[in-house]
Amino acid sequence: MRTKSQAIEACLAFGSVYEDYPFDQNWAAIRHNGTKKVFAFVYDYHGQVRMNLKAIPPLVVAWINTYPQVIPAYHMNKENWITVVLDGTLDDGIISALITDSYNLTKPKLKLPK
């Protein structure tokens, strides 16, 4: 995965989500329908396409230490979010797993009947 459009398309594949531009046309926020919670930000940063994703806190450091393309989150809480540099060197399967984790961590909670 290298392009902003590929990253956005991967996020939108979950369904029940939508693309939003709350800041400017550079920052695409992918949100859950209903709750409007963001699970991905996709943006260009100094010529690189990057994606901010929510991650399981104990795994944030592990991801950063394992893959040079995963760095502390840009403009986000660094305990709960990571930035993935989409330069084509990180396997798409890993990126997809990170997107899935972020989606699942932010999706609306199922309400149990009373």
Side-chain angles (χ1 to χ4, degrees), residues 48-114:
Q48 293 179 323
V49 177
R50 293 182 174 191
M51 180 184 296
N52 288 359
L53 298 167
K54 190 156 187 164
I56 300 167
L59 295 179
V60 168
V61 173
W63 286 116
I64 291 168
N65 289 336
T66 304
Y67 299 102
Q69 305 88 340
V70 179
I71 58 177
Y74 179 70
H75 277 298
M76 304 292 285
N77 178 311
K78 289 164 182 33
E79 292 178 17
N80 298 297
W81 291 80
I82 56 175
T83 293
V84 180
V85 178
L86 301 178
D87 61 3
T89 61
L90 187 60
D91 183 81
D92 283 355
I94 293 169
I95 298 169
S96 293
L98 292 170
I99 294 169
T100 299
D101 283 351
S102 187
Y103 174 86
N104 287 330
L105 287 167
T106 58
K107 72 182 178 183
K109 306 295 184 247
L110 184 62
K111 292 183 180 177
L112 297 174
K114 294 182 179 183

Side-chain angles (χ1 to χ4, degrees), residues 11-51:
C11 292
L12 293 176
F14 284 95
S16 295
V17 300
Y18 65 98
E19 184 178 350
D20 186 21
Y21 291 86
F23 310 117
D24 58 38
Q25 289 301 306
N26 183 41
W27 282 79
I30 312 302
R31 299 178 183 268
H32 292 276
N33 287 341
T35 64
K36 300 182 182 178
K37 282 188 176 183
V38 174
F39 72 94
F41 285 102
V42 184
Y43 57 96
D44 293 305
Y45 181 80
H46 297 293
Q48 293 179 323
V49 177
R50 293 182 174 191
M51 180 184 296

